[in-house]
Amino acid sequence: MSFNGSPVQGVLCDITGVLAESSSESDGVVVPGSIEAINRLFEAGIKVKFVTNESARTRASLHAKLTRLGFTINIEDILTPSLAMVVLLKEQKLRPHLLVHKNVMEDFRGVETEDPNCVVLGDAVDEFSYVNLNTAFQVLLKSSSTQLFSLGKGKFYKEDSGLSLDVGPFTAALEFASERKAVICGKPDKTFFHAGLTALGLEAEKVVMVGDDIVSDVGGAQAAGIRGVQVRTGKFRPSDENHPLVKPDLIVDNLKGLVDTILK
């Protein structure tokens, strides 16, 4: 089992746009062939971990959605930025001001938030109001050492029939206004990909990352030493095939196309 002449023992797989297309009103729609593709990887003995920048759902909610859609995966195999963020907050004894989606507040249960000394931004959707962004800005102004964290930094994602703003543009606004760089907890940060490698128990050269985001998924993986594969599903746009900075190791129509290549 190889790809581009090198063995593949593990796959890091994005969720939204690769396994299923997102919807604001339902669980979404399974990308054709993706359920069978994941099952074929498991049957071939290839390890799979699901790395997502999804910050509007808890891991439990995301797992439940995938189960309803027909996927059979273990909840422990899903890596989300909110859970990684909680670990970091506790390790560094930080008290966050949270501007995140109400659905993921459960992940932050038990985290001290009184007298915040950092700001955590997630895909807050309708909570991204002037008032809420300005409140986060005021927290950052307390000290030049107050850190800004972002759960991923995607520009946009595909939902229903169009593209919607992701957390990245709002993070960029606070970076610009507060004159500090955000610490990214999620893709494309190398630390998040390294966490995926640790979960797989494999070295980077034995792993492939597959995603629909040319920068966060493919470019982020390559920066971490992992081969990056772009699918033509999800938020993919034809211009991604000629991206000025990121050159995928392979471009396939969908996840099934990658699995066919690995297992042929």
Side-chain angles (χ1 to χ4, degrees):
M1 293 170 284
S2 64
F3 163 58
N4 281 3
S6 298
V8 174
Q9 296 181 16
V11 173
L12 293 176
C13 185
D14 188 20
I15 294 178
T16 303
V18 177
L19 299 186
E21 303 285 9
S22 183
S23 171
S24 60
E25 300 179 353
S26 67
D27 287 335
V29 180
V30 174
V31 173
S34 60
I35 293 176
E36 295 81 1
I38 291 298
N39 290 339
R40 288 170 63 200
L41 289 174
F42 289 151
E43 291 166 2
I46 294 176
K47 298 179 180 179
V48 184
K49 298 294 179 182
F50 302 91
V51 287
T52 177
N53 270 358
E54 173 68 69
S55 60
R57 286 177 179 265
T58 62
R59 179 166 69 171
S61 172
L62 192 54
H63 178 259
K65 181 188 84 166
L66 291 173
T67 299
R68 288 193 296 271
L69 288 173
F71 292 92
T72 303
I73 63 177
N74 295 321
I75 189 171
E76 295 81 8
D77 290 336
I78 301 174
L79 283 66
T80 67
S82 58
L83 291 178
M85 187 74 247
V86 169
V87 172
L88 188 151
L89 292 170
K90 291 181 177 179
E91 287 179 346
Q92 298 188 17
K93 295 181 171 57
L94 294 172
R95 303 180 304 278
H97 170 78
L98 297 170
L99 181 46
V100 299
H101 198 286
K102 61 182 181 181
N103 290 349
V104 300
M105 289 300 292
E106 180 183 336
D107 281 344
F108 291 91
R109 186 180 301 168
V111 173
E112 179 58 55
T113 57
E114 291 294 324
D115 188 24
N117 57 6
C118 70
V119 170
V120 174
L121 233 62
D123 183 15
V125 192
D126 294 337
E127 296 303 310
F128 278 136
S129 64
Y130 173 82
V131 170
N132 288 343
L133 283 166
N134 194 52
T135 299
F137 174 60
Q138 297 300 323
V139 173
L140 291 171
L141 291 185
K142 287 183 178 180
S143 170
S144 60
S145 63
T146 302
Q147 290 182 283
L148 170 62
F149 295 95
S150 182
L151 305 182
K153 204 179 181 183
K155 295 179 181 178
F156 50 79
Y157 55 89
K158 183 179 179 183
E159 187 169 71
D160 300 317
S161 60
L163 300 177
S164 299
L165 286 176
D166 204 343
V167 66
F170 301 98
T171 299
L174 286 180
E175 286 182 315
F176 177 71
S178 66
E179 300 180 327
R180 72 201 67 199
K181 192 73 173 174
V183 176
I184 309 303
C185 191
K187 299 173 291 185
D189 186 65
K190 290 182 182 179
T191 304
F192 198 61
F193 286 102
H194 290 160
L197 293 176
T198 298
L200 286 170
L202 296 170
E203 298 172 341
E205 57 268 23
K206 298 177 181 178
V207 175
V208 171
M209 168 71 202
V210 56
D212 68 329
D213 190 314
I214 188 71
V215 174
S216 291
D217 294 329
V218 179
Q222 291 175 330
I226 303 167
R227 286 164 288 177
V229 177
Q230 172 76 45
V231 290
R232 295 189 180 97
T233 55
K235 69 175 73 173
F236 167 80
R237 297 178 295 174
S239 59
D240 291 340
E241 298 198 26
N242 297 295
H243 194 277
L245 300 176
V246 181
K247 307 300 179 185
D249 292 277
L250 181 68
I251 300 176
V252 293
D253 286 338
N254 48 37
L255 180 60
K256 177 182 179 299
L258 172 61
V259 175
D260 287 343
T261 299
I262 293 174
L263 299 182
K264 69 179 180 181

